[in-house]
Amino acid sequence: MRITGLFVSLAVAIFLWFDAPKHHKDKWLWAILGVLFSTIVLGIYLIKTERQGLGWTILILTILFYLMLIVSVLIGLVLFYQVSPS
């Protein structure tokens, strides 16, 4: 799972590195942000470069994924630490 996240982050960073100069954006800034925050930054970048449909779709799906991850971890913690009935 971690290796997949690394590949996604690197793919986003490489895309941003090559695409940012085409839209008069700083390639270093967007590539570094792409490595650190991956698909969230990709969505924001696409929104800022007039590709709003795709950008909003990626951003909303990423936020939903993180919300589902947080909820599932919280449910797991509650079930793990739940006091069993006597």
Side-chain angles (χ1 to χ4, degrees), residues 1 3 6-7 13 17 21 31 37-38 42-43 47 49 52-53 55 64 69-70 73 83-85:
M1 187 73 163
I3 197 95
L6 177 66
F7 283 137
W17 174 268
F37 302 109
S38 191
L42 179 61
I47 291 168
T49 57
Q52 294 182 353
L64 288 175
L69 182 66
I70 290 169
V73 167
V83 177
S84 60

Side-chain angles (χ1 to χ4, degrees), residues 3-82:
I3 197 95
T4 305
L6 177 66
F7 283 137
V8 169
S9 292
L10 289 176
V12 167
I14 291 169
F15 170 76
L16 293 173
W17 174 268
F18 287 110
D19 196 63
K22 296 176 189 173
H23 298 280
H24 308 290
K25 307 286 184 193
D26 184 19
K27 64 182 177 181
W28 283 101
L29 172 68
W30 286 103
I32 291 170
L33 289 174
V35 168
L36 295 176
F37 302 109
S38 191
T39 53
I40 292 175
V41 170
L42 179 61
I44 293 169
Y45 174 80
L46 291 172
I47 291 168
K48 291 190 67 66
T49 57
E50 304 299 325
R51 293 173 276 186
Q52 294 182 353
L54 181 60
W56 280 112
T57 303
I58 290 173
L59 192 59
I60 290 169
L61 289 175
T62 301
I63 290 170
L64 288 175
F65 171 76
Y66 283 120
L67 286 175
M68 288 189 320
L69 182 66
I70 290 169
V71 168
S72 64
V73 167
L74 290 175
I75 290 172
L77 287 172
V78 167
L79 293 175
F80 183 75
Y81 288 110
Q82 186 178 19

